[in-house]
Amino acid sequence: MLDFTRVLAGPHAGRMLLDLGAEVIKVEPPEGDITRTTYPRVNSVSTYFAQQNAGKRCISIDLDHHEGRELVLRLVDQVDVVLENFRPGVMDRTGLGYAELSAINPRLVYASISGFGQTGPWKDRRAYASVIQAESGLTRSQVE
């Protein structure tokens, strides 16, 4: 499986598949996954990153360069699943959307996670926990 995910929902899904026996290759940008720099840390390793990505093989690929995209296209023929959690359209703009990848690997399962769906007026909104809690009315002030 190629795992293009970041932050929580996607990496957690990839971790569950890994725990069920999948071989997971986490594709990170050249600067690394953003959660590699979070705290707390144990022995210089972000515990958040370790929790969600332990056991995954990590590779750094610059998707903004032709060579990086070509490498992904070669890897796609070797995997069963691609998992991503970018906002809708991001993978298509890089030339790595479902249409392009399934043409190379027709048996490919392409899983896309987004907070507000793939269509509709909010599809491009970021969906971090604080945003979802506020939109759902689950945040509140506690006054004692």
Side-chain angles (χ1 to χ4, degrees):
M1 177 176 97
L2 287 179
D3 178 352
F4 289 90
T5 65
R6 56 207 174 134
V7 187
L8 184 58
H12 188 69
R15 175 67 192 264
M16 287 191 294
L17 291 171
L18 181 123
D19 290 345
L20 291 169
E23 180 179 333
V24 179
I25 302 167
K26 179 171 180 57
V27 179
E28 299 183 44
E31 63 276 8
D33 185 287
I34 60 174
T35 62
R36 283 184 180 271
T37 61
T38 60
Y39 290 90
R41 294 169 174 270
V42 173
N43 297 324
S44 301
V45 176
S46 163
T47 57
Y48 182 94
F49 179 84
Q51 172 195 28
Q52 297 304 322
N53 297 290
K56 295 178 183 179
R57 296 179 181 195
C58 298
I59 185 171
S60 175
I61 300 177
D62 192 341
L63 300 179
D64 291 331
H65 287 88
H66 176 74
E67 295 85 2
R69 289 188 300 275
E70 288 297 317
L71 176 57
V72 170
L73 296 177
R74 288 195 309 267
L75 289 170
V76 162
D77 196 38
Q78 307 299 314
V79 299
D80 299 313
V81 176
V82 166
L83 177 64
E84 61 95 352
N85 69 337
F86 296 109
R87 284 176 287 157
V90 169
M91 290 293 276
D92 289 328
R93 286 192 298 275
T94 63
L96 301 172
Y98 176 74
E100 293 84 5
L101 300 186
S102 65
I104 294 167
N105 182 346
R107 71 186 191 293
L108 186 69
V109 174
Y110 188 98
S112 181
I113 301 168
S114 69
F116 292 99
Q118 298 295 309
T119 61
W122 284 13
K123 70 179 171 105
D124 293 320
R125 294 184 73 179
R126 290 183 171 97
Y128 294 103
S130 56
V131 172
I132 298 299
Q133 291 167 6
E135 292 293 344
S136 66
L138 292 176
T139 57
R140 64 182 171 92
S141 298
Q142 284 189 313
V143 179
E144 294 187 31

